[in-house]
């Protein structure tokens, strides 16, 4: 059996179904181009019959992207298929993804149909799609809860009708990895024409098993895996692209290969998170902020001796510059010395021991040990940097038919400085004013505002990442006023610049 695994990315279709994550066409093109650079094989660009916006996005993505197959979703309905075919007219390589429910729930409760009729409708949809495109993928919705014997009949019928790929979705995220793998194995062994099509996995994460199920499907014979960046998707999400790809890369004994350029993973993850306003949880595998951060003394010492002691992936493989050694009360001398070296502070053994004792006391009472703290602990005076920057005053003017403007007063090392700037919104204007005062070239890399609850009187939490001379600095603040929270988070990040 061929060992190449095709990556079918559905961030722009299943991923985009998440409430509040909708993208406009320009943003979708940006994501699609990034997915192309990442090396995905198929981009599911939308569900064209569902809205004029989705139709337009499929059209524009088809024009903007050359290498991957562009895929459009339909129900097993002629009109859907016609509209999908029309939306794909500019695609260099195109696929229609059509299908129908095959579980007892879908057949009897949702579609009010019979198994025999489902097989006929499935065949008819594939044959109809074949009139427009050569490459037709069929999905057996809720295959995870479908009977294997019936599923095999459906799969055989759609392959005979011309399906090139057959998708076996665990739509409700119900299967156990063994069950899902056994289902794929059963189909490989009981569908007489299975060699004429590729089986695809499409797993949802309702019980946290999407990645395990997809992997089990691949091990048992599927050769396409349907995924989203950061695992976003309906409810608890879909299988995450970065997890599957890195499992296959890391566990090479599985002998399954993708064409993904893994060093683009992190920036693709950031882009999707930023455009969809969907923060990535800190402990998310592969792309979470803490995925390569070490905080306990034993681990830090181990990583500093040799990265492989506590890391199974080189962060550079996914596009992250280096592992992070976070200073906490559990850090050891090795971690403290590592940070002092980064700050060019030389300490002999006695000095290090002395500073380490002071550091432990401080770390017990302070959550976040900054570079400033280290300078003070080591008794180093720093003259000119943007330390101790405080927001003294912030005033914004904005509203309909007004050019947003902000006036900011910062207290830098005890002295007050004021500046005003305009922008495309109050936050943008305030950031421009801050930039004029701090005289440092900083690029905003990531900016996320989160509400803690859903109330309008809620605290806004702002996470920011800025770039300066190739290094990334993180800032955070929370305030009921989101412009103030944004400026404070911006200053928090800036104040960490070495
Ligand atoms: O989860 C699912 O069943 C789907 C299909 C429409 C492919 O997303
Ligand atoms: Zn789905």
């Amino acid at each position: 059996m061929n060992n190449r695994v095709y990556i079918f990315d559905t961030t722009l279709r299943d991923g985009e179904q998440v409430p509040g994550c909708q993208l406009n066409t320009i943003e979708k093109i940006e994501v699609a181009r990034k997915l192309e650079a990442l090396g995905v094989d198929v981009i599911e660009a939308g569900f064209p019959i569902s809205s004029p916006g989705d139709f337009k996005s499929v059209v524009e993505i088809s024009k903007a992207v050359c290498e991957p197959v562009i895929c459009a979703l339909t129900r097993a309905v002629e009109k859907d298929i016609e509209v999908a075919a029309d939306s794909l007219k500019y695609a260099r390589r195109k696929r229609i993804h059509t299908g129908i429910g095959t579980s007892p729930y879908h057949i009897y409760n949702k579609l009010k149909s019979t198994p025999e009729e489902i097989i006929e409708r499935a065949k008819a949809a594939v044959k109809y799609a074949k009139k427009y495109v050569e490459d037709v993928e069929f999905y057996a919705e809720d295959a995870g809860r479908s009977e294997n014997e019936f599923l095999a009949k459906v799969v055989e019928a759609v392959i005979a009708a011309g399906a090139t790929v057959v998708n076996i979705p665990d739509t409700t995220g119900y299967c156990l990895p063994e069950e899902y793998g056994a289902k794929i194995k059963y189909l490989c062994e009981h569908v007489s024409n299975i060699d004429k099509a590729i089986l695809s996995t499409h797993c949802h994460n309702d019980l946290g098993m999407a990645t395990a199920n997809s992997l089990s499907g691949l091990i048992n014979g599927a050769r396409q895996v349907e995924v989203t960046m950061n695992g976003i998707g309906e409810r608890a999400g879909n299988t995450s692209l970065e997890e599957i790809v890195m499992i296959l890369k890391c566990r090479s004994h599985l002998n399954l290969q993708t064409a993904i350029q893994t060093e683009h993973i992190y920036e693709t993850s950031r882009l999707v998170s930023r455009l969809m306003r969907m923060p990535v949880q800190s402990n998310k595998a592969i792309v979470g902020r803490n995925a390569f951060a070490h905080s306990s003394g034993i681990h830090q010492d181990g990583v500093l001796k040799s990265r492989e002691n506590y890391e199974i992936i080189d962060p550079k493989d996914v596009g992250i510059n280096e592992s992070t050694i976070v200073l906490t009360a559990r850090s050891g001398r090795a971690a403290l010395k590592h940070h002092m070296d980064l700050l060019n502070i030389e300490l002999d053994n006695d000095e290090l021991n002395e500073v380490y004792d002071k550091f432990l006391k401080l770390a017990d009472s302070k959550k976040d040990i900054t570079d400033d703290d280290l300078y003070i602990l080591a008794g180093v005076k720093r003259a000119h940097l943007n330390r101790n920057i405080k927001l003294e005053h912030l005033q914004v003017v904005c509203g309909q038919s007004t050019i947003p403007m902000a006036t900011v007063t910062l207290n830098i090392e005890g002295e007050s400085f004021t500046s005003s700037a305009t922008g495309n919104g109050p936050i943008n204007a305030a950031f421009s004013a801050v930039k004029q005062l701090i005289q440092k070239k900083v690029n905003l890399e990531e900016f996320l505002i989160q509400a803690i609850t859903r109330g309008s009187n809620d605290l806004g939490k702002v996470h920011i990442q800025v770039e300066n001379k190739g290094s990334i600095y993180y800032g955070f603040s929370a305030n009921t006023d989101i412009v103030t929270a944004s400026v404070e988070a911006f200053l928090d990040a800036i104040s960490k610049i070495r």
Side-chain angles (χ1 to χ4, degrees):
M1 186 178 253
N2 188 348
N3 293 333
R4 169 75 152 82
V5 171
Y6 295 97
I7 300 292
F8 176 114
D9 183 278
T10 184
T11 304
L12 296 173
R13 200 279 299 169
D14 227 349
E16 219 240 352
Q17 287 174 211
V18 177
C21 282
Q22 279 65 41
L23 301 179
N24 61 37
T25 302
I26 310 256
E27 291 167 330
K28 284 189 188 172
I29 291 172
E30 199 179 342
V31 172
R33 287 214 169 108
K34 193 61 110 190
L35 292 171
E36 181 173 36
L38 183 64
V40 305
D41 298 288
V42 185
I43 293 177
E44 188 163 48
F47 181 13
I49 191 99
S50 68
S51 75
D54 245 41
F55 180 88
K56 183 167 169 234
S57 296
V58 179
V59 172
E60 297 305 325
I61 291 170
S62 300
K63 290 181 193 162
V65 164
C66 304
E67 275 307 310
V69 171
I70 304 298
C71 178
L73 185 79
T74 81
R75 294 165 298 180
V77 171
E78 289 192 354
K79 184 72 188 159
D80 282 30
I81 294 170
E82 288 160 17
V83 173
D86 193 21
S87 72
L88 289 169
K89 58 179 175 276
Y90 298 108
R92 208 163 67 88
R93 302 164 69 202
K94 51 187 96 177
R95 176 182 297 177
I96 289 179
H97 188 191
T98 189
I100 196 162
T102 53
S103 69
Y105 297 94
H106 282 233
I107 299 173
Y108 302 111
N109 301 348
K110 179 180 148 185
L111 300 161
K112 314 274 181 231
S113 183
T114 62
E116 295 71 29
E117 195 182 72
I118 292 296
I119 295 189
E120 289 313 310
R121 285 174 66 180
K123 283 196 300 192
V126 171
K127 282 191 184 152
Y128 197 65
K130 277 296 236 197
K131 289 190 181 167
Y132 297 96
V133 294
E134 187 41 46
D135 190 3
V136 175
E137 174 167 341
F138 175 84
Y139 63 85
E141 196 178 3
D142 204 14
R145 293 187 299 171
S146 301
E147 288 157 10
N148 287 350
E149 215 178 308
F150 175 63
L151 196 56
K153 284 190 190 147
V154 176
V155 173
E156 193 158 285
V158 295
I159 295 175
T164 46
V165 180
V166 184
N167 177 11
I168 308 299
D170 184 19
T171 306
T172 57
Y174 177 73
C175 285
L176 297 174
E178 289 81 358
E179 279 168 351
Y180 190 76
K183 194 175 277 291
I184 297 290
K185 189 164 193 271
Y186 181 92
L187 295 174
C188 289
E189 287 170 354
H190 291 83
V191 173
S192 66
N193 51 4
I194 197 71
D195 57 315
K196 301 206 166 43
I198 290 174
L199 280 180
S200 182
T201 68
H202 178 115
C203 299
H204 280 266
N205 206 28
D206 298 66
L207 290 171
M209 293 188 287
T211 297
N213 284 343
S214 300
L215 184 65
S216 182
L218 293 175
I219 290 169
N220 284 285
R223 284 296 173 266
Q224 178 179 279
V225 56
E226 306 198 1
V227 290
T228 60
M229 204 65 226
N230 302 338
I232 61 166
E234 290 248 6
R235 308 183 308 280
N238 290 52
T239 304
S240 88
L241 180 150
E242 63 277 13
E243 291 174 13
I244 280 291
V245 166
M246 291 315 290
I247 289 169
L248 299 186
K249 186 171 167 106
C250 234
R251 306 306 306 266
S252 51
H253 71 283
L254 293 172
N255 199 19
L256 294 171
Q257 289 91 29
T258 73
I260 293 296
Q261 306 293 312
T262 59
E263 62 286 0
H264 289 286
I265 284 181
Y266 189 64
E267 61 184 27
T268 313
S269 159
R270 295 286 108 189
L271 179 76
V272 168
S273 165
R274 179 164 59 80
L275 292 181
M276 292 196 162
R277 307 269 185 275
M278 183 88 172
V280 175
Q281 74 193 53
S282 311
N283 61 336
K284 167 81 183 63
I286 319 293
V287 291
R289 191 150 37 84
N290 293 347
F292 298 98
H294 303 274
S295 81
S296 85
I298 295 172
H299 288 207
Q300 291 182 336
D301 185 47
V303 168
L304 289 169
K305 284 183 176 133
S306 169
R307 196 190 53 74
E308 280 102 347
N309 285 337
Y310 284 99
E311 277 181 0
I312 55 167
I313 298 171
D314 185 338
K316 292 192 183 70
D317 282 353
V318 296
I320 295 174
N321 282 345
E322 56 191 15
S323 345
T324 330
I325 303 291
V326 187
L327 285 179
T328 68
R330 290 178 306 284
S331 298
R333 281 176 183 71
L336 180 63
K337 174 151 181 11
H338 170 75
H339 273 265
M340 291 297 189
D341 288 348
L342 288 177
L343 298 177
N344 288 326
I345 301 174
E346 279 178 32
L347 300 174
D348 63 26
N349 269 351
D350 288 346
E351 285 168 335
L352 181 67
N353 285 340
E354 201 183 306
V355 172
Y356 183 66
D357 287 342
K358 289 195 257 170
F359 158 78
L360 281 187
K361 282 193 194 106
L362 184 67
D364 262 339
S365 59
K366 196 166 182 276
K367 216 172 173 182
D368 203 9
I369 301 291
T370 65
D371 290 351
D372 269 350
D373 294 324
L374 297 184
Y375 282 117
I376 292 165
L377 287 177
V380 177
K381 276 221 177 329
R382 312 223 66 218
H384 60 284
L385 292 180
N386 293 309
R387 308 291 148 185
N388 301 321
I389 306 177
K390 286 195 188 68
L391 178 62
E392 269 188 1
H393 173 80
L394 169 67
Q395 186 179 5
V396 289
V397 181
C398 60
Q400 223 184 357
S401 41
T402 306
I403 296 177
M405 190 171 121
T407 302
V408 174
T409 303
L410 299 183
N411 184 307
I412 304 177
E413 312 253 327
E415 242 189 287
S416 293
F417 301 88
T418 299
S419 181
S420 297
T422 55
N424 61 13
I427 294 175
N428 180 255
F431 282 11
S432 297
V434 168
K435 279 187 188 174
Q436 287 167 10
L437 293 176
I438 53 134
Q439 294 177 346
K440 265 190 182 301
K441 196 169 165 344
V442 285
N443 296 314
L444 192 59
E445 287 285 308
E446 185 172 310
F447 175 58
L448 287 172
I449 301 184
Q450 280 176 300
I452 292 174
T453 63
R454 288 182 185 167
S456 59
N457 58 354
D458 197 3
L459 270 184
K461 291 198 292 182
V462 178
H463 302 263
I464 270 185
Q465 283 191 25
V466 300
E467 183 270 340
N468 171 267
K469 295 186 186 157
S471 297
I472 299 290
Y473 301 91
Y474 170 77
F476 172 80
S477 182
N479 199 302
T480 45
D481 173 343
I482 55 163
V483 185
T484 303
S486 304
V487 174
E488 284 173 350
F490 194 39
L491 293 176
D492 185 34
I494 288 169
S495 68
K496 291 174 183 160
I497 295 174
R498 290 184 193 119

